[in-house]
Amino acid sequence: MSTPTTAQQLSEHVEELLAPGGLLPILAAGRPVLRRVAEPYDGQLGDALLERFVAALRTTMRDAPGVGLAAPQVGVPLSIAVVEDRARGPREALEARGRTPLPFQVLINPSYEPEGDTRAAFFEGCLSVPGWQAVVVRSARVRLRGQDEHGHAIDEVFTGWPARIVQHETDHLNGTLYLDVAQARSLATNEAVAELWSQHTPEAAARELGFPLS
């Protein structure tokens, strides 16, 4: 199936995705739409359809469960993503990751830039690469610009784990999967991470698997 490009094709494609109701299908790595730069959103869906699409992204993200979902992950090549993290888990792990609650937010045409030189390395996963995790070194503080679903400007600084989330989802909109920027030698199954590398930080994995943390 060819990727929809015109506003009419995109609207029809999203209507087809929403027609069955329920969850949207999440595409796995290997689909071309995940490797293309998403088209800037400029009203192609109309307000009512955008609202329905965002609601479906939110439901699908929460069910997965995940902390973010980008439109290309469900086959829609538009620069739209949703993020949310309730930051639940052991206090020590949350503190080590700088993981604080991230309220639900819609990101339209987002872009980010680092704020400062501090970087952090942690295992990261992706709904489009199910079953695997790898360590990614990312900026610990970023400034995100874009719009929300109502067209209001976003200009916000994110730190810690929320910064990681918005970088990951914005990367999706640029055709980048986390594996592209991960430490290749850190790649591990979810089971291996749970059994061997469940420490709050990845120093032990780096030492045993032989990859840098910077």
Side-chain angles (χ1 to χ4, degrees):
M1 177 180 174
S2 60
T3 302
T5 55
T6 69
Q8 181 176 349
Q9 289 174 330
L10 286 162
S11 292
E12 291 174 352
H13 181 54
V14 172
E15 289 282 11
E16 290 175 0
L17 285 174
L18 297 178
L23 304 175
L24 301 173
I26 299 176
L27 303 182
R31 299 298 185 108
V33 68
L34 294 171
R35 289 314 201 166
R36 294 172 181 157
V37 177
E39 181 178 339
Y41 183 74
D42 188 25
Q44 294 94 328
L45 303 184
D47 292 345
L49 183 55
L50 176 63
E51 182 178 357
R52 292 167 53 209
F53 181 53
V54 164
L57 285 174
R58 182 181 189 174
T59 300
T60 303
M61 172 186 67
R62 287 179 169 178
D63 180 80
V67 294
L69 187 64
Q73 291 182 273
V74 298
V76 178
L78 288 172
S79 188
I80 302 170
V82 296
V83 295
E84 181 183 46
D85 185 12
R86 299 177 185 181
R88 294 172 177 169
R91 180 177 57 83
E92 295 82 0
L94 297 177
E95 290 178 351
R97 291 169 171 78
R99 188 171 180 178
T100 56
L102 176 61
F104 178 77
Q105 191 166 0
V106 181
L107 308 178
I108 306 288
N109 302 327
S111 64
Y112 66 83
E113 57 186 25
E115 289 248 317
D117 298 326
T118 304
R119 291 163 65 80
F122 289 103
F123 273 101
E124 198 169 304
C126 179
L127 298 178
S128 290
V129 190
W132 297 87
Q133 297 181 46
V135 171
V136 183
V137 182
R138 292 194 185 271
S139 295
R141 179 183 175 94
V142 297
R143 184 173 187 178
L144 185 88
R145 294 183 175 92
Q147 300 85 42
D148 66 14
E149 69 272 35
H150 306 296
H152 300 146
I154 298 172
D155 188 345
E156 187 174 350
V157 173
F158 293 85
T159 61
W161 206 259
R164 181 171 296 270
I165 293 171
V166 299
Q167 288 173 83
H168 181 116
E169 297 308 324
T170 301
D171 283 358
H172 269 301
L173 304 177
N174 291 312
T176 298
L177 295 178
Y178 84 98
L179 292 175
D180 300 334
V181 293
Q183 298 292 347
R185 293 179 68 95
S186 71
L187 185 64
T189 64
N190 289 343
E191 292 78 11
V193 172
E195 179 182 351
L196 301 172
W197 315 125
S198 60
Q199 301 88 354
H200 301 327
T201 57
E203 281 82 359
R207 183 174 60 252
E208 296 297 329
L209 299 178
F211 61 87
L213 290 174
S214 60

